[in-house]
Amino acid sequence: MVRDLLDLKSDPLPKLSRPRWLAWLPHVVLAYLAVFFCSITLTQLQDHYGASGTTPLLLSILVGLSIVLAMRRPLAGFWIGLITAAVIAWSIHDRVGQGQSWPWLPAGIFAFAPVLLLVALRTPPRVTIGAVAVCIAFSGLAEAVFKPEHSGTSAPGAVLLFAFTGLLGYALRSTRLARTKLVEQETLTEAERAQRTLLEERTRIARELHDVVAHHMSVISIQAQVAPYLVENPSEELKENLAGIRANALEALTELRRVLGVLRSEHPDDPAGPHHPQPTLGELEGLVDNVRAAGLEVTTEIAGIRRPLAPGVELTAYRIVQEALSNCLRHAPGSRVEVGIAYGPRELHLCVANTAPTRPAPPSPGAGHGLLGMRERAGMLGGELAAGPRPGGGYEVSAVLPTDPADPDSAGAAPEPKQPDPTPDAKKEA
């Protein structure tokens, strides 16, 4: 404790966080108190105790300086204030009249209270206890040993005021630390919630990819098994190659199910189960009809040549539109929504825009991270997604998805040899 009491390190008094226009209010108040107690100490030394010369002026300046210094270095201001109080008590010892306060001046107790409060606000509780104990010990020792004859006592008032100041500073410091920890915890919770939402969306995407890839691998396996029967007198080499294709497809399918099967087991009742087909843009009208039935005015516009796309692109586009419409229902009740889809030669453009809501939105129980999932889906295909408020009010979500997403693992791979077209009979049988 002694080592901590002698630690004169800098610990500035922070500004108020809110309101901003009152950020420097504590510093202004303390500076005013420093000037006020400097003036009143000088007046009491000269008028009530008969001190003269430059000594009262210097001691009064030190009283104000201790308050100002305590705003940046609490313990340095504490020791300057305490030593100044001791020098004042010594200098007026022979001038104390009948019933006059000693060892503290009438204003001295209150001048030292802000210094002690700053110590309690900026230091640990054990240091505050030590500082209060030193003040009480100083007052009691001076009162018991050096008290002038016929002087009044100031020790009981000093003990009560200093103890109350220490408790007040401790309470305010504990409240500030608790509030700071609460803000940090809320920040961590928000980050963890966003990360959890992102992981849940990735898990959902993985399950849906499992369905899409498993379907195509199964088709490859069946086609490789049936292909020898579509050709007259197939050679042994052809049979062997087709058997190898089927074996590789089955092995890949097994590994895929082995790796991703645990994801499906976490939610056995998930509608994205193996017996439920994944939605595509062909089901967009049904989705829009459901939203209209919920009370939202929705219009759709499709530009370009409508054509089936890769399953992953169709699923991602459907989910983005679905999430955007859900956000409109939750956050923009009574608004008008426009859904636009444009088929380009290499890209699919999506746009879901809504006007300003006509009535207040009810509280949403969701985590508020739907945009994370949409960006994750678009980024998975190498696309982009942007979202933000519209200049005239409302909100807009737009995405650009490549219609033929590139496989990152196939970059730099040698082109596969072109297979000869099957015979017309084989095409017909297939």
Side-chain angles (χ1 to χ4, degrees):
M1 184 180 293
V2 173
R3 184 172 59 252
D4 292 337
L5 284 172
L6 296 177
D7 187 2
L8 307 182
K9 66 180 179 180
S10 176
D11 191 3
L13 181 68
K15 298 184 293 184
L16 289 177
S17 58
R18 60 182 64 178
R20 292 185 177 180
W21 62 280
L22 290 179
W24 293 99
L25 179 61
H27 303 76
V28 173
V29 171
L30 289 171
Y32 171 79
L33 289 178
V35 175
F36 173 76
F37 284 119
C38 175
S39 175
I40 197 173
T41 300
L42 179 61
T43 301
Q44 290 184 355
L45 285 175
Q46 292 177 342
D47 296 346
H48 297 278
Y49 293 90
S52 60
T54 59
T55 301
L57 178 61
L58 293 176
L59 293 176
S60 301
I61 292 175
L62 286 177
V63 170
L65 180 63
S66 65
I67 299 176
V68 175
L69 183 61
M71 287 192 289
R72 185 168 186 85
R73 297 180 182 271
L75 289 175
F78 168 79
W79 287 114
I80 289 180
L82 192 62
I83 293 173
T84 302
V87 174
I88 290 175
W90 174 77
S91 65
I92 65 174
H93 183 272
D94 297 331
R95 296 185 173 88
V96 178
Q98 181 69 30
Q100 287 186 317
S101 176
W102 194 90
W104 293 92
L105 294 178
I109 300 177
F110 298 98
F112 192 71
V115 177
L116 194 59
L117 179 62
L118 290 171
V119 171
L121 286 174
R122 312 304 299 160
T123 58
R126 66 176 183 276
V127 180
T128 301
I129 294 174
V132 173
V134 169
C135 295
I136 293 176
F138 161 76
S139 302
L141 181 63
E143 186 84 17
V145 179
F146 303 104
K147 181 181 178 182
E149 188 177 0
H150 307 302
S151 66
T153 178
S154 60
V159 170
L160 292 176
L161 180 61
F162 295 159
F164 172 77
T165 303
L167 289 175
L168 177 62
Y170 169 75
L172 293 176
R173 182 176 186 272
S174 300
T175 302
R176 177 176 56 84
L177 293 178
R179 188 183 297 112
T180 302
K181 290 182 179 180
L182 179 61
V183 172
E184 293 177 353
Q185 186 62 37
E186 288 178 350
T187 303
L188 292 176
T189 303
E190 185 68 18
E192 291 175 356
R193 185 184 296 116
Q195 183 67 18
R196 185 171 63 251
T197 302
L198 185 61
L199 293 177
E200 289 175 355
E201 187 63 25
R202 287 184 176 180
T203 301
R204 182 181 177 188
I205 293 172
R207 291 197 302 269
E208 293 172 348
L209 284 178
H210 171 267
D211 294 335
V212 174
V213 177
H215 167 73
H216 287 286
M217 295 302 294
S218 299
V219 172
I220 292 174
S221 174
I222 295 173
Q223 288 179 339
Q225 183 179 8
V226 175
Y229 300 99
L230 303 179
V231 182
E232 293 185 12
N233 301 322
S235 63
E236 293 298 326
E237 183 179 2
L238 177 60
K239 291 181 179 180
E240 184 178 350
N241 287 335
L242 291 174
I245 293 174
R246 182 173 183 272
N248 289 332
L250 291 176
E251 182 179 356
L253 185 60
T254 302
E255 291 295 330
L256 180 66
R257 287 173 175 167
R258 182 179 302 165
V259 173
L260 300 180
V262 65
L263 299 177
R264 187 172 305 285
S265 65
E266 294 177 356
H267 305 283
D269 298 329
D270 197 325
H275 301 293
H276 295 266
Q278 297 299 333
T280 64
L281 289 177
E283 304 175 32
L284 181 62
E285 289 301 326
L287 174 63
V288 171
D289 290 339
N290 290 336
V291 176
R292 287 177 182 148
L296 207 62
E297 182 181 346
V298 185
T299 59
T300 60
E301 184 176 351
I302 299 177
I305 301 176
R306 191 167 185 174
R307 63 189 187 276
L309 304 175
V313 178
E314 292 268 359
L315 177 62
T316 297
Y318 181 90
R319 294 300 189 198
I320 289 176
V321 175
Q322 182 185 43
E323 180 64 27
L325 291 176
S326 299
N327 288 339
C328 293
L329 283 172
R330 286 194 298 266
H331 306 297
S335 63
R336 295 191 307 274
V337 185
E338 299 177 358
V339 179
I341 300 177
Y343 289 83
R346 295 173 180 247
E347 295 174 335
L348 177 68
H349 296 261
L350 305 173
C351 180
V352 180
N354 64 274
T355 59
T358 58
R359 56 181 183 270
S364 176
H369 297 289
L371 288 175
L372 284 175
M374 289 192 281
R375 287 196 176 97
E376 185 73 12
R377 289 179 176 275
M380 180 188 67
L381 299 178
E384 297 179 353
L385 185 137
R390 304 175 70 184
Y395 205 81
E396 179 176 334
V397 175
S398 58
V400 179
L401 305 177
T403 56
D404 186 16
D407 183 3
D409 294 333
S410 64
E416 296 182 0
K418 183 178 181 181
Q419 299 295 334
D421 293 336
T423 61
D425 293 339
K427 288 183 179 180
K428 183 177 179 180
E429 292 293 333

